[in-house]
Amino acid sequence: MNRLFDAPVFGLPQEEKSGLLLARLNELTQRHAQGCPAFANILSAFGWGQASTYQELPYLAARLFKLTQWQSVPQEEVFKVLTSSGTTGTPSRIVLDRDTAALQSKVLVKILQEFVGKQRLPMLLVEQPALIQNRSGFSARGAGALGLSFLGRDHTYALDEQMRPNWPVIEAFCDKYAGQPVLLFGFTFMVWQCLLEPLRERGLQLPLTQGVLFHSGGWKKLQHLAVDNLAFKQRCHEQLGLSRIHNFYGMVEQVGSVFVECEQGHLHAPLFADLLVRDPLTHRPLGVGQPGLLQVLSAIPQSYPGHSLLSEDLGVLLGEDDCPCGRRGRYFHVSGRQQGAEVRGCSDTFQ
Ligand SMILES: [Zn+2]
């Protein structure tokens, strides 16, 4: 893991990066095989062992985390259990030990600093204050916001307990930081529904011209309103004054290792994570330009076997090492969820 922290997050060519990451993933496979008998059984049933390519890595279907609790640490080392609150179905339960929880924050901050720099900026969270303060909830959404909060200072919550804009608070933040570099964070649907829409109804614009917004999750709900990424960006520009808006993608089972959208609108794999695309029916690995199911790899999960997961998300690999933004490694696009897959809640999963 230390070797990963020493290397540039988006600077290594794919060949070099995948070598480093694969070594870490093989180490995790071994750790989980020793600590989690159910995982060891799966490895032997499928004949999985140490991998020399991504394609040979063992993988679990992400939905398995809804069916049962996976853990590879003894009970006394469990630090907390994260849950994702889906609107339907059972939530995923993710078992964290202290080291894994610490890695989640450390990796997340390291990735996002690539976009905002190391300076801690004033931060406006499109959230209720209770989300983080009430830590007994242990929602994945809260864990995500908590991880992100390390990136900022003067944390300000834009919403009240009823999820309505807290106008005096928003106004004070804008008075203090208008035209200065600030950080904004929120779940896509909540930014739209709880901030952009109320601003529009009141005919207000915020002066956050030097702000950077990170947002994630919840496109499904916006699709019902016919809002796509471009329309969302446009509205953020018009009503918040923002010109830097980054969507990011990540799984609740892999909190911390996120894929952030670049200036070209492409999601990029950081050093700590990667992805493969597989045929939804045969699971055969697919190449650039061939849409399929996303398999996501993460260097973080030490306390449960979630380092290689087959998601229920559909997408396409766009390229490797050659995005015009200059970042190296793989970049891709997520197009939606596999048909028949359970619909998750709007802001549940810190995606
Ligand atoms: Zn790019």
Side-chain angles (χ1 to χ4, degrees):
M1 196 69 199
N2 287 339
R3 291 178 68 198
L4 290 178
F5 279 112
D6 290 341
V9 177
F10 293 108
L12 293 186
Q14 183 64 25
E15 203 182 326
E16 201 178 327
K17 175 247 172 98
S18 57
L20 270 183
L21 184 61
L22 200 58
R24 166 69 178 168
L25 295 170
N26 275 324
E27 186 189 301
L28 289 173
T29 299
Q30 203 171 5
R31 178 193 284 251
H32 298 314
Q34 282 160 7
C36 178
F39 184 66
N41 287 341
I42 288 175
L43 291 187
S44 59
F46 284 86
W48 275 323
Q50 294 288 289
S52 52
T53 64
Y54 283 165
Q55 300 177 5
E56 294 169 16
L57 284 166
Y59 56 92
L60 297 182
R63 69 169 68 214
L64 287 176
F65 285 81
K66 293 179 193 298
L67 301 179
T68 183
Q69 185 163 307
W70 296 79
Q71 73 184 66
S72 16
V73 289
Q75 198 54 34
E76 61 269 21
E77 283 176 29
V78 173
F79 170 55
K80 59 181 169 182
V81 180
L82 293 182
T83 56
S84 70
S85 55
T87 46
T88 59
T90 26
S92 295
R93 292 171 60 80
I94 312 302
V95 176
L96 302 181
D97 62 358
R98 283 187 182 275
D99 288 348
T100 302
L103 272 180
Q104 288 182 338
S105 302
K106 199 174 165 191
V107 167
L108 183 65
V109 166
K110 182 108 171 129
I111 294 169
L112 297 184
Q113 278 178 343
E114 293 289 317
F115 295 84
V116 295
K118 287 197 172 165
Q119 190 192 359
R120 289 180 78 143
L121 299 174
M123 189 166 181
L124 186 68
L125 295 107
V126 187
E127 281 292 353
Q128 309 158 278
L131 179 76
I132 290 176
Q133 284 156 14
N134 175 13
R135 296 192 186 187
S136 59
F138 294 137
S139 73
R141 184 178 132 208
L146 183 65
L148 267 159
S149 67
F150 292 119
L151 213 59
R153 63 181 166 87
D154 197 1
H155 304 100
T156 305
Y157 295 85
L159 307 182
D160 65 18
E161 303 300 335
Q162 282 75 45
M163 308 283 275
R164 295 171 310 202
N166 192 336
W167 296 115
V169 164
I170 294 171
E171 205 176 292
F173 186 87
C174 289
D175 283 351
K176 203 167 167 188
Y177 299 118
Q180 295 179 42
V182 293
L183 200 57
L184 286 86
F185 167 74
F187 289 91
T188 312
F189 182 72
M190 288 169 60
V191 172
W192 182 269
Q193 195 71 16
C194 307
L195 187 60
L196 293 173
E197 284 290 89
L199 282 169
R200 187 182 55 84
E201 283 160 15
R202 295 187 162 217
L204 294 174
Q205 280 108 35
L206 304 186
L208 305 172
T209 50
Q210 298 302 307
V212 183
L213 169 67
F214 291 109
H215 69 98
S216 182
W219 283 114
K220 185 120 195 157
K221 282 202 173 184
L222 287 179
Q223 277 164 8
H224 292 307
L225 305 170
V227 179
D228 59 13
N229 196 12
L230 207 64
F232 182 84
K233 279 187 176 169
Q234 185 60 31
R235 281 285 297 278
C236 288
H237 180 62
E238 286 167 9
Q239 292 193 280
L240 305 176
L242 299 172
S243 51
R244 295 177 60 197
I245 300 145
H246 298 280
N247 182 27
F248 65 92
Y249 170 77
M251 311 254 305
V252 61
E253 295 83 2
Q254 296 180 343
V255 167
S257 58
V258 293
F259 301 90
V260 183
E261 181 191 18
C262 73
E263 299 75 12
Q264 307 289 322
H266 301 149
L267 294 166
H268 276 267
L271 186 61
F272 308 94
D274 221 330
L275 93 157
L276 286 78
V277 181
R278 290 187 182 270
D279 183 286
L281 294 177
T282 63
H283 289 191
R284 186 175 59 90
L286 301 174
V288 171
Q290 297 178 287
L293 268 185
L294 301 181
Q295 179 186 345
V296 283
L297 312 176
S298 171
I300 296 175
Q302 298 193 156
S303 48
Y304 60 95
H307 57 306
S308 170
L309 296 174
L310 192 63
S311 75
E312 292 168 352
D313 296 318
L314 296 165
V316 61
L317 193 60
L318 297 173
E320 221 173 73
D321 293 334
D322 59 0
C323 182
C325 77
R327 292 178 183 84
R328 313 297 290 273
R330 292 186 173 178
Y331 57 100
F332 65 106
H333 174 70
V334 180
S335 51
R337 287 183 79 73
Q338 191 183 20
Q339 273 202 329
E342 252 183 323
V343 178
R344 289 185 181 182
C346 80
S347 47
D348 55 352
T349 54
F350 182 56
Q351 281 183 343

